[in-house]
Structures are given as C-alpha cells and as structure tokens.
Amino acid sequence: MEINDLTPAESRLWRAFASGTDVDFRTADPSAQGSSAAGSSAAAPSGADSDDPARGGTWGPERTVRAGVLRSLLLDGPREDGRVAALSLTGARVTGQLDLQYATVDHPVRLRHCHFDEAPRFYGARLRELNLSESVLPGLISHAVRVEGVLRLTRARFSDTVRLAGAEVTGSLYLESTRIETPNTEWPVLQLNQAVLGADLWAPGLRASGEVRLTGARVAGTVNLNDSVLDRPGGTAVQAETLAAEADVLLRRADVRGRLELRGARIPGRLDLSHARLANAGNTALRASSCVIGELWLREGPAVQGALNLRRAQVDVLFLQPEVVPAWVQLNDLTYTSLIPHEPAERRLPMLEKGDGYLPFTYEQLTAAYRRIGDDDAARLVQLAKQRRRRRTLPWYGRLWGHLQDIAVGYGFRPLRAGGWLLSLLAVGSVVYGLHHPPPLKQAEAPGFNPVFYTLDLLLPVISFGQENAFAPEGWYQTLSYVLIVTGWILATTVITGLTRTVSRP
C-alpha cells in the first residue's frame, strides 16, 4: 500500500507504528472510558458516550482505519532504529476484514476500544501479542492461532462466535467481563476446544449466551470463571470434557443455566463451585463423571436444579453440603478420601437414596469416610441404613427375615437391643414358669426346678443348665417354650452376625 493513499487518521497511525507509539482517537478523558465499556453509558459523560465502541459504526473518517492498512503495517510496516515497532491503536473504527490468516507477525498488536465492522481473521497466524480489550467485534476467527505471549479480550463485546479452537497461547488468555451474545446459539459461542494455554484462562465475569466449549483444552494454570453467567437453558452451557487444568477450576458465584459438562476432566487442584447456581431442570446440571479431582467444593449455594452426576469420579476431598444436593444424584463408583464438613449420618444418608437404586458401594464409601475420622457411631448408622435399603430388594421371605433382624438387634449394629430383649423374655418366662411349674419328665431323676435357669435354657441355644430336658410344659406353657426357643435362635443368629461384621471390618 502506498503512503499517498492513506487518510489523515491512517497516516498518523503509520508514523506512530515504527516507534510503537500509541494512537488514541478517543475524544473524552480516557479515565471516563471504563463506565461506557462496562455498558453504563447512560451515566457517563457525553464524550465518553460517543467513544463507546458499540457506537463505532457512526464514527467518521477522522477515526476510521481500513483493515488493509493494518495488515500492511503488520507485515511490512516502517521500522525505526533502536525502537520496537508495534501496532497500538485505541478508539478507532476498523473497516473491512483484518485478514492475517497464516501470517507471522513479530510486532505486538493492540487494538483497544475499537469497533470492527467485520470479524478479524487470525486463522493459523503466529503473533507476538494480541490485545483486543474493550473492543466491539462481530466475532473472531482465530482457529489454531499461536500467540507468543498473552491474548487479551478483556471486556470485549462479541455479537457472534469467538473461534479459538486449537489455539496455542504461551501466556494467559484474558476474558474478564467479556460478553458474547449471538442470535445463533446452536453452535458454541466460545470455542476453546483443544486449546493449549501456558498460564491461566482468566475469565471472571464472563457472560456467554450459548455454549462455552473447552473440550480437550490444556491449561497450565488456573481456569477462573468466577462470577460468570453462562447461559444455555436446556442445553450444554459449558462443554469441558477431558479438560486438563494443572491448578484450579473456579466457578465461585457463577450462574450456569444449562449443563456443566466435565466428564473425564483432570483437575489436581480445586473445582470450586462455592455460592454457584447450577440450573438445568429436568436434565443433568453437573456431570463430573470419570474425573480426577483434588478437591470438589459444592457449598454455600442454592440446591442444584437438575441431576448431579459423579459416577466413577475420584476425589481426594469432597466438600459437599447436604443443602446443595439435588433431588437426583448418581454416585456409582464415586471414590473420595475425605468428606467435609462433618455432618451427622442422618443428614448424609438421604443423598444415597436419591440415585439409581441400591448401590452398596456408596454406603461403603460413606462408612469409610466416617471411620477415617473416628466416628464409629455414624459408620454403624450408615451400615444399618445399607442393610435396610438392601432389604427392599429382597423377596418377601428375605424382607421378613430382615425385619426380624432389624427389630431384634438392628442387624447386629444394636447389640444392646439384644440384651434388652433377652432380659424382657427372661423376666416373662421366669414369672410365668415360676407361677406354674412344668411337670418333670422323670420325677425321681429331675433336679430342683428353677424358673430363671429353665427360661435361660430355652433362650440360649448352646448353653444348657439341665432344666429344659428335665421338664415338659403342657398346653399354652408349651407354646410359650417354643416361642422362647425360636426367639433365642433369632437373637443368637443376629448377634453372631453383628459380631462377625464388627470383627472383620477393615
């Protein structure tokens, strides 16, 4: 492009490029720009309101730059000895498409507070730095771009898809308070699938009306989505299958309207959903199946609206408050080392009833968590609940036998109850047979009758005091003896079963 073809605004930018000087076309005090960029132009001064990039389509030639001029500068612009050339432009309208597909650009590219008539194209480009902060764009086409530094889209506003699939950024990707609103939400509005970030994905306050895709992305630092609003009701709001973050994934105070999909993710740090609102009524709200997570925090927020799927996940620390647990959970093969906060077993057990039928492993996991902190009483309650839940899966005769064990000694987890039953039956038998002695079988050989030891002989199936075989009750007294014998066997069987569980537990 010839220098003689440039407009005054473009000539100013051309001269500044060689020394890396910033060219700012804004008419208001730069300190007033923050309010308009945040969308509060009604309260901003008139100058700042006119500098809002959303109104950039009305800007005149005095602050308009053609995309072809920007391309010429970046590929073959002037140089100045001893200075670092850079494209640093603020408050301009860029007409035409900035097409740097497959280009190699060795200069920083800073296009802040700008209005783009067409979506820039950086497909397969190699850039030193890219900064489009607080600009308004109809989209961004940057598949497989490589940025040797940071990529800043802070507070930018997009009206169509941001395509960064397969991007490689050696530093961080900044998306603080960025807004992506597109009329077509069938496709992901933010595509970061298979992207590789050498530092953080820093996106607190991100607002996306459509799917955010992070499938297969690799983030060497933290994924920060705190205070974000991710809106795709009835669909997948965040698609992050097999995401690998080497630090934390933060969604504190996030509002996720749609599915949060994290199947197969690897997060050695913390997956923090504290104070978050997860809503996907009638479908899965959070799917973190087959994940490996250091700490999973679900706390201090409203109850999840939709299903919670943690199948086959491996979690070191599970911070889960009962109030957050939804009406449907899937915990098949979920393993965790520590469960906090410490809650009574009565508050944890309802969670195990909300899943796919009877799952013995879920009860064993909860039992192990209580035993690791020394709460044996809670562990016994969980095991008792497990037996009662299992009973509902048995045929009628199994359920009947289970009810008898439960009433008698609580499946062996209530051993004192057996003592109470024995004492009660011993008292009944002793009084009845004390008032009506059963006749001896052999008068001459019978020992002296003792109603207490006679009743003990009936109740205890192994121990014999020589009373039962020496006397033969008649009528209903004989029926009572049969009841005592059968009850004694039931009590003995359940006590032995309970002792076996206690001795053999890990």
Side-chain angles (χ1 to χ4, degrees):
M1 178 173 289
E2 297 293 335
I3 189 70
N4 296 330
D5 296 334
L6 303 180
T7 65
E10 293 169 347
S11 296
R12 178 182 170 188
L13 179 63
W14 194 278
R15 291 191 299 270
F17 174 82
S19 60
T21 304
D22 182 43
V23 175
D24 192 344
F25 287 130
R26 291 177 294 178
T27 58
D29 182 353
S31 64
Q33 302 301 321
S35 59
S36 63
S40 55
S41 57
S46 58
D49 186 60
S50 65
D51 284 333
D52 184 353
R55 299 172 178 262
T58 64
W59 292 343
E62 72 282 358
R63 55 191 305 181
T64 298
V65 177
R66 288 169 292 170
V69 175
L70 302 181
R71 175 184 169 85
S72 296
L73 278 172
L74 293 172
L75 298 182
D76 193 25
R79 305 289 189 276
E80 184 176 323
D81 292 340
R83 306 294 294 271
V84 177
L87 176 60
S88 185
L89 177 62
T90 305
R93 176 185 179 185
V94 180
T95 59
Q97 185 178 57
L98 178 56
D99 190 349
L100 292 170
Q101 182 174 223
Y102 299 116
T104 298
V105 178
D106 294 326
H107 317 293
V109 180
R110 307 184 187 106
L111 299 167
R112 297 163 293 186
H113 296 274
C114 291
H115 176 94
F116 289 79
D117 287 354
E118 298 183 37
R121 186 179 182 88
F122 299 108
Y123 183 91
R126 298 295 180 262
L127 309 175
R128 178 74 65 182
E129 174 192 343
L130 180 59
N131 188 341
L132 300 174
S133 295
E134 300 180 277
S135 294
V136 172
L137 307 95
L140 181 63
I141 304 169
S142 296
H143 304 76
V145 68
R146 177 179 173 83
V147 181
E148 299 284 350
V150 298
L151 173 53
R152 294 185 183 273
L153 303 174
T154 302
R155 290 185 293 279
R157 284 168 281 175
F158 296 90
S159 57
D160 208 339
T161 303
V162 177
R163 296 177 173 88
L164 288 164
E168 185 175 351
V169 182
T170 61
S172 296
L173 169 58
Y174 293 95
L175 288 160
E176 307 106 300
S177 301
T178 298
R179 295 190 179 190
I180 308 173
E181 298 178 353
T182 171
N184 181 14
T185 59
E186 181 180 353
W187 301 101
V189 297
L190 175 58
Q191 299 176 9
L192 281 165
N193 41 301
Q194 282 75 49
V196 178
L197 306 183
D200 302 323
L201 171 54
W202 205 255
L206 171 68
R207 291 177 176 266
S209 297
E211 179 183 321
V212 173
R213 179 165 292 180
L214 292 164
T215 305
R218 301 290 182 265
V219 182
T222 295
V223 176
N224 186 339
L225 290 166
N226 290 337
D227 302 294
S228 58
V229 178
L230 309 171
D231 189 14
R232 198 188 179 206
T236 300
V238 179
Q239 176 63 266
E241 291 189 13
T242 65
L243 168 70
E246 295 186 15
D248 302 325
V249 175
L250 309 176
L251 288 108
R252 297 172 65 92
R253 300 173 299 278
D255 188 356
V256 183
R257 305 164 189 169
R259 175 184 293 200
L260 175 55
E261 177 63 72
L262 291 165
R263 184 179 65 86
R266 297 293 183 268
I267 306 169
R270 184 172 76 252
L271 173 56
D272 193 346
L273 293 160
S274 302
H275 307 277
R277 179 178 180 271
L278 306 180
N280 194 25
N283 211 320
T284 300
L286 171 61
R287 184 184 183 191
S289 58
S290 303
C291 290
V292 177
I293 303 172
E295 300 182 15
L296 172 55
W297 289 21
L298 267 169
R299 65 184 189 98
E300 302 296 338
V304 175
Q305 299 177 34
L308 173 62
N309 185 344
L310 299 177
R311 290 175 173 174
R312 300 177 300 279
Q314 300 176 37
V315 183
D316 188 16
V317 178
L318 180 58
F319 196 142
L320 181 62
Q321 290 183 326
E323 297 83 2
V324 180
V325 177
W328 185 261
V329 295
Q330 296 170 297
L331 305 175
N332 317 33
D333 298 319
L334 166 67
T335 61
Y336 49 88
T337 303
S338 177
L339 179 62
I340 56 176
H342 179 60
E343 296 277 359
E346 294 84 354
R347 282 175 51 79
R348 293 291 187 190
L349 284 170
M351 176 178 67
L352 308 187
E353 296 282 338
K354 297 177 179 180
D356 300 322
Y358 171 56
L359 299 172
F361 185 76
T362 61
Y363 290 90
E364 293 301 327
Q365 278 291 295
L366 185 55
T367 299
Y370 279 122
R371 284 175 177 164
R372 274 190 287 268
I373 61 175
D375 193 344
D376 289 335
D377 290 339
R380 282 192 292 270
L381 280 175
V382 176
Q383 285 295 296
L384 178 57
K386 174 188 173 186
Q387 294 300 323
R388 289 171 174 169
R389 181 66 182 85
R390 176 179 176 272
R391 185 173 66 209
R392 300 206 295 267
T393 68
L394 301 175
W396 69 267
Y397 49 86
R399 294 196 299 273
L400 178 60
W401 175 245
H403 280 294
L404 289 174
Q405 291 189 81
D406 196 358
I407 293 170
V409 289
Y411 286 98
F413 296 104
R414 304 283 196 213
L416 292 179
R417 188 180 295 177
W421 280 108
L422 285 171
L423 289 175
S424 299
L425 294 172
L426 178 61
V428 170
S430 298
V431 170
V432 170
Y433 292 118
L435 295 175
H436 188 279
H437 294 190
L441 290 174
K442 297 180 180 180
Q443 185 69 41
E445 301 177 5
F449 181 75
N450 187 308
V452 174
F453 284 97
Y454 179 75
T455 305
L456 284 174
D457 251 356
L458 296 174
L459 286 172
L460 303 178
V462 178
I463 301 174
S464 177
F465 295 100
Q467 293 280 314
E468 180 185 358
N469 296 327
F471 298 92
E474 300 173 345
W476 77 271
Y477 296 100
Q478 187 178 32
T479 302
L480 176 62
S481 70
Y482 294 155
V483 171
L484 292 174
I485 291 171
V486 171
T487 306
W489 273 104
I490 292 174
L491 290 172
T493 302
T494 52
V495 167
I496 291 171
T497 302
L499 289 174
T500 301
R501 289 195 190 101
T502 302
V503 172
S504 63
R505 84 177 185 191

